[in-house]
């Protein structure tokens, strides 16, 4: 990843993640099956990925043709669209352990065989699992640890507003499953060059405010879109909680398996 020689200094307001409890409890919108955790006391973090290290190959950028201003596009030639994979093309194989990604937050590449159960988390999630969500069509919103509470409130409300999208998998009793296909989590540090970064498979947008209209435009463009997502028909939930976690704010219509 390119590291700039200088970076604008931003005033940081460090906010305890416990404050998110009040935000989530106050949200009045319904999440479908009534199984959502109301706060982070019921949250289960996805299992950390262990095993041999995989180092991602260099990733090339390409021209942004999506119509979303400011998006950085990466080489996905041959996957999912027709083309020829080159030395800078995003890899998409399963890795047996942690991955050292070239872009932070990652925009694709080798990833864990088990994804994150998508929703709102109050702590950082393993990138290797989140990248698998991207492959399945999810949009991953990450934010720096010092993001002001008002901005975090807006991000949580933004996730609330996104519609449930039908999935091919089934929940308890054979009920069709659905998910918002949005993953929200803090980034462990301030490595990204913006307070908020929104990512899909092969595309990334850096934002300074949760009220930027391009956030919704990005989600509308890339979320579970087979044009951009290699496996847009696959689920982003239904993984055992012991592996894929239980969000503080669930994004699924039906509960994930315990």
């Amino acid at each position: 990843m390119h590291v700039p020689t200088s970076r604008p200094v931003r005033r940081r307001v460090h906010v305890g993640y416990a404050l998110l409890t009040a935000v989530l409890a106050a949200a009045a919108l319904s999440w479908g099956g009534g199984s959502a955790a109301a706060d982070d006391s019921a949250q289960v973090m996805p299992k950390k990925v262990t095993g041999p290290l995989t180092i991602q190959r260099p990733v090339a950028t390409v021209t942004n043709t999506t119509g979303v201003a400011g998006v950085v596009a990466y080489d996905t030639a041959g996957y999912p669209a027709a083309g020829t994979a080159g030395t800078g093309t995003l890899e998409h194989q399963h890795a047996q352990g942690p991955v050292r990604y070239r872009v932070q937050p990652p925009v694709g590449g080798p990833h864990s065989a088990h994804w994150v159960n998508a929703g709102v988390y109050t702590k950082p999630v393993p990138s290797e699992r989140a990248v698998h969500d991207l492959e399945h069509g999810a949009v991953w919103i990450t934010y720096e640890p010092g993001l002001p509470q008002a901005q975090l409130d807006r991000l949580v409300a933004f996730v609330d507003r996104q519609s449930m999208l039908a999935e091919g998998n089934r929940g308890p009793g054979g009920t069709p499953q659905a998910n918002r296909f949005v993953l929200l989590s803090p980034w462990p540090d301030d490595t990204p060059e913006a307070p908020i970064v929104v990512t899909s498979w092969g595309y990334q947008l850096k934002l300074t405010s949760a009220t930027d209209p391009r956030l919704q435009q990005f989600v509308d463009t890339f979320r579970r879109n087979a044009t951009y997502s290699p496996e847009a028909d696959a689920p982003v939930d239904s993984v055992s909680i012991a592996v894929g976690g239980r969000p503080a704010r669930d994004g699924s219509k039906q509960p994930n398996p315990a």
Side-chain angles (χ1 to χ4, degrees):
M1 185 181 87
H2 170 69
V3 179
T5 56
S6 62
R7 183 184 180 196
V9 176
R10 297 190 302 273
R11 182 181 179 185
R12 301 187 181 282
V13 181
H14 292 282
V15 180
Y17 290 123
L19 294 179
L20 185 57
T21 298
V23 178
L24 299 174
L29 297 177
S30 171
W31 282 73
S35 60
D39 58 58
D40 61 0
S41 64
Q43 178 176 247
V44 177
M45 295 308 300
K47 186 177 180 180
K48 183 179 179 180
V49 176
T50 60
L53 175 67
T54 296
I55 299 176
Q56 184 179 25
R57 299 184 316 204
V59 182
T61 56
V62 295
T63 302
N64 172 30
T65 60
T66 67
V68 183
V71 163
V72 178
Y74 292 85
D75 184 2
T76 59
Y79 197 75
T84 302
T87 55
T89 303
L90 279 172
E91 305 161 82
H92 56 87
Q93 75 274 19
H94 289 174
Q96 299 303 311
V99 179
R100 184 180 299 164
Y101 288 103
R102 299 283 182 166
V103 180
Q104 300 288 354
V107 296
H111 51 272
S112 171
H114 297 99
W115 52 89
V116 175
N117 290 317
V120 175
Y121 287 88
T122 65
K123 298 178 182 179
V125 300
S127 292
E128 298 85 358
R129 300 195 190 282
V131 168
H132 201 152
D133 289 60
L134 299 182
E135 186 185 40
H136 289 186
V139 169
W140 184 17
I141 304 171
T142 52
Y143 57 91
E144 65 178 5
L147 189 73
Q149 186 66 35
Q151 290 288 310
L152 179 54
D153 293 352
R154 290 186 177 97
L155 287 178
V156 174
F158 175 83
V159 177
D160 276 353
R161 293 196 298 271
Q162 306 313 303
S163 60
M164 288 281 184
L165 300 178
E167 300 176 273
N169 56 320
R170 299 276 171 170
T175 304
Q177 180 65 294
N179 196 285
R180 298 183 188 279
F181 280 77
V182 177
L183 174 63
L184 173 65
S185 66
W187 191 249
D189 53 43
D190 62 354
T191 303
E193 299 169 17
I196 301 168
V197 180
V198 54
T199 307
S200 66
W201 182 272
Y203 298 88
Q204 191 168 83
L205 177 65
K206 296 178 175 67
L207 302 173
T208 58
S209 173
T211 60
D212 192 315
R214 291 178 297 166
L215 178 57
Q216 186 66 66
Q217 187 181 8
F218 189 99
V219 170
D220 291 344
T221 300
F222 298 107
R223 187 172 62 135
R224 210 195 60 175
N225 188 332
T227 299
Y228 303 108
S229 305
E231 299 177 9
D233 57 343
V236 293
D237 50 30
S238 301
V239 178
S240 167
I241 288 173
V243 175
R246 178 198 296 144
R249 190 69 168 167
D250 204 346
S252 305
K253 181 178 181 181
Q254 298 292 328
N256 287 301

